[in-house]
Amino acid sequence: MNAVFYTADAQSWAESLGDIPWPLLPVANRPLLDYWLEACAEQGIEQVQVILGEDSERVEDFARDGARWGLKISYSFARTSEHPLDYLKSIADRWDEGLLFIGAPFFLRHRKAFTPAGFETLDACLHEHDGQIQFLFGKSGAEVKALLAGEPGSRTGLEQIHIHPFTIDSTAAYFDLNMKMVAGEFPRYVTAGFLDSDHSSIGYNVLTLPSAQLRAPILVGNDCRFAAMTTIGPKAVIGDHVIVDSRSELENCLILQDTYIGQNLEIKNKIVSGNRLVNPEDGTSIEIDDSWLVARNRPDMRTEDLVRYIVLWFLGFGVALAQLVPFCILYPVVRAVRIGKYFDEKFHDPRTGYTALPVFRKLKNRRSVAYSLFRALTLDRFPWLLLALRGRLFVCGQPPMRHPEDDEIIHQLKQYYPAVFSYADYCKESDRLTDSLWYAHIRSLFEDVKILIKSLLYRFFRAGR
Amino acid sequence: MIVTCSKEQGIGIVEVSHALTAATVDSFREQLSKWQEAEDDVLNYVIDLKHVDFMDSAGLGTMIAMLKRISEKGGDMKIACLQKKPRMVFEITRAYKVFEIFDTVEEALKAFE
């Protein structure tokens, strides 16, 4: 059997949700296309053709060659003059082994009794919405040709195998589907690794501070960071890379990926997609981008980044200049008493993949005035500062990630600023991934100066400990 | 940003012509202050937001500051004709709990009676 997914038609309702192509819009934190491909894998379908329209790159980038699902995916572009039905008819001979066609934002909503094996008993069927074929299924060439010729197929269609055909034709329908998923349906789509006893699921690396309240049912994606006093749920779907600031309450809402929620907000019955706030009832959307309200996480701030880089370079130059003489005096002493030395260690580099950085390590576990002074004056970072002045590191930013131990962290960071100083220098409880994500969102000149001053002071007062 | 101020039944009606954002709040404040100086007997205000299709935290902050100033003088302030998009900002910031919001200017004026 072959599968064809027609994603070329634009969906006006999806435009209010931002720039995510509709096949990638998440349903309970998973792209819609993911469910379709998973259904193919469950049915033993190997060949999938995805017909692309606008934003094809992002769809292609997500599904790639289909190896993740054990499928072989090929791509083609829709001709504007050709109706998808005409296209299927024009190459009808290819469907001799059967066809599964989805041609719209169509969700195969599982009822409790559904099992993937049910498809074996499914009669040839076709589902239409507003005169458009959304779903077509035939196990043989004859069945497919009959359906394409206009025969109605099974009366009960997908319902006979306990699938409720759900057409997403508005923001309200999209929101409703997500809320139904979080209210209890999503475990029907997720098998291994999740416990659904209380209808809650929280992804990896989600940092929640003690006073935050997370009330089921909720779905929380990866790399989220909730500050203190945050109340989340019930019925909240939080996508990946979302930051919720302190004292915000989220209830009956859908937060899509890369969203920053400001302080002390109350978000109920809303969709938030980056800097967009959407009322699902009528699709009204408002673009805010205001860190006091809602904003796009990880904003692209090239000019600000450049200004920040230049100012920090001069500050770094000042620190390096102040350290030059003490380093020239103390490093020979440290080497002479054999208390510490530099070792080259591999770290990830945003440009070259990886690079070796000199890391100062204590050789002997004994007290040493020279070592304490060396550390107190942050002289162990002097070679890194020189590298920062040569443009190979940032002065302030994220801690350099080790290669290959930190591959997973690097994979999750969209923006990597390996730096001489980071939160880890003065915050003992620092978690490198969440802090790195946080820095990427909040980075500013003020934040960098704060990191620099706090790191230098903390190291000075905690020297040698 | 054009702020049109008028007086009806001793109540100041402030009509705002544009989105109320960080870029426009200064002009809003300045124009309103001038009118308030000239009409210092006006205590109560209705803010007509029918032409305001967007409001950010700066705009909202200005509204709250204005309410505070008016309340300190013993007056009151009501909001009329709040549009869909700014309404969402009012909802998520809980500002609807702070302000009295009416669908029309007439309803807001009646509420002062």
Side-chain angles (χ1 to χ4, degrees), chain A residues 310-330:
Chain A
I310 293 168
V311 174
L312 261 291
W313 189 92
F314 281 103
L315 284 175
F317 180 70
V319 175
L321 211 58
Q323 285 185 330
L324 182 62
V325 174
F327 183 83
C328 292
I329 297 167
L330 276 172

Side-chain angles (χ1 to χ4, degrees), chain A residues 4 136 146 158 187 202 208 215 232 238 240-241 286 303 317 327 351 374 386 405 409 416 423 439:
Chain A
V4 175
L136 184 148
L158 286 165
I202 298 182
T208 55
R215 301 190 199 117
I232 295 178
I238 318 285
D240 294 344
H241 318 300
I286 179 170
T303 314
F317 180 70
F327 183 83
R351 279 174 297 179
F374 194 74
L386 296 183
E405 295 92 320
I409 296 178
Y416 176 43
Y423 296 125
Y439 176 81

Side-chain angles (χ1 to χ4, degrees), chain A residues 247-249 264-268 270 277-279 282 284-290 292-294, chain B residues 22 53-60 83-94 96-97:
Chain A
R247 289 185 292 283
S248 280
E249 291 181 25
N264 207 11
L265 301 184
E266 182 183 80
I267 300 184
K268 289 181 179 173
K270 297 276 182 294
L277 186 64
V278 184
N279 187 349
D282 56 7
T284 308
S285 69
I286 179 170
E287 281 197 27
I288 296 179
D289 237 339
D290 181 334
W292 292 97
L293 301 171
V294 296
Chain B
D53 57 356
F54 180 72
M55 190 183 285
D56 66 4
S57 59
L60 190 64
Q83 299 301 299
K84 270 184 184 176
K85 291 180 178 181
R87 188 177 286 272
M88 283 202 276
V89 175
F90 272 63
E91 278 175 28
I92 65 167
T93 52
R94 303 178 174 103
Y96 63 90
K97 290 178 182 172

Side-chain angles (χ1 to χ4, degrees), chain A residues 143-366:
Chain A
E143 283 182 354
V144 176
K145 278 177 189 165
L147 290 171
L148 291 174
E151 286 186 23
S154 156
R155 278 188 183 177
T156 48
L158 286 165
E159 296 282 2
Q160 82 182 75
I161 60 163
H162 308 291
I163 284 181
H164 175 62
F166 190 96
T167 301
I168 309 172
D169 56 356
S170 63
T171 43
Y174 173 65
F175 183 72
D176 186 41
L177 177 61
N178 271 279
M179 289 304 111
K180 283 192 165 93
M181 291 288 273
V182 71
E185 286 187 26
F186 102 90
R188 296 175 199 170
Y189 306 83
V190 185
T191 48
F194 286 87
L195 181 72
D196 66 322
S197 57
D198 65 351
H199 304 303
S200 65
S201 171
I202 298 182
Y204 300 108
N205 309 312
V206 176
L207 183 73
T208 55
L209 295 180
S211 45
Q213 294 178 33
L214 305 171
R215 301 190 199 117
I218 53 163
L219 273 171
V220 179
N222 293 333
D223 315 325
C224 295
R225 179 181 179 129
F226 309 126
M229 304 294 287
T230 303
T231 308
I232 295 178
K235 282 173 85 176
V237 181
I238 318 285
D240 294 344
H241 318 300
V242 168
I243 294 172
V244 180
D245 218 323
S246 57
R247 289 185 292 283
S248 280
E249 291 181 25
L250 310 178
E251 192 182 315
N252 204 36
C253 62
L254 169 63
I255 313 293
L256 301 187
Q257 62 184 26
D258 295 338
T259 297
Y260 173 79
I261 308 280
Q263 282 186 18
N264 207 11
L265 301 184
E266 182 183 80
I267 300 184
K268 289 181 179 173
N269 304 308
K270 297 276 182 294
I271 301 173
V272 189
S273 171
N275 61 335
R276 278 176 189 236
L277 186 64
V278 184
N279 187 349
E281 281 174 20
D282 56 7
T284 308
S285 69
I286 179 170
E287 281 197 27
I288 296 179
D289 237 339
D290 181 334
S291 285
W292 292 97
L293 301 171
V294 296
R296 189 186 289 268
N297 209 345
R298 300 190 185 89
D300 195 11
M301 312 184 294
R302 284 182 190 170
T303 314
E304 281 179 46
D305 278 345
L306 184 66
V307 171
R308 194 168 59 86
Y309 180 81
I310 293 168
V311 174
L312 261 291
W313 189 92
F314 281 103
L315 284 175
F317 180 70
V319 175
L321 211 58
Q323 285 185 330
L324 182 62
V325 174
F327 183 83
C328 292
I329 297 167
L330 276 172
Y331 187 56
V333 176
V334 164
R335 291 287 288 129
V337 297
R338 293 181 182 178
I339 189 73
K341 69 179 258 198
Y342 286 100
F343 293 89
D344 276 348
E345 293 182 14
K346 274 186 184 176
F347 289 87
H348 281 274
D349 185 275
R351 279 174 297 179
T352 58
Y354 64 89
T355 186
L357 293 181
V359 178
F360 186 77
R361 293 212 178 278
K362 199 174 183 183
L363 295 175
K364 289 174 185 168
N365 193 17
R366 63 178 163 84

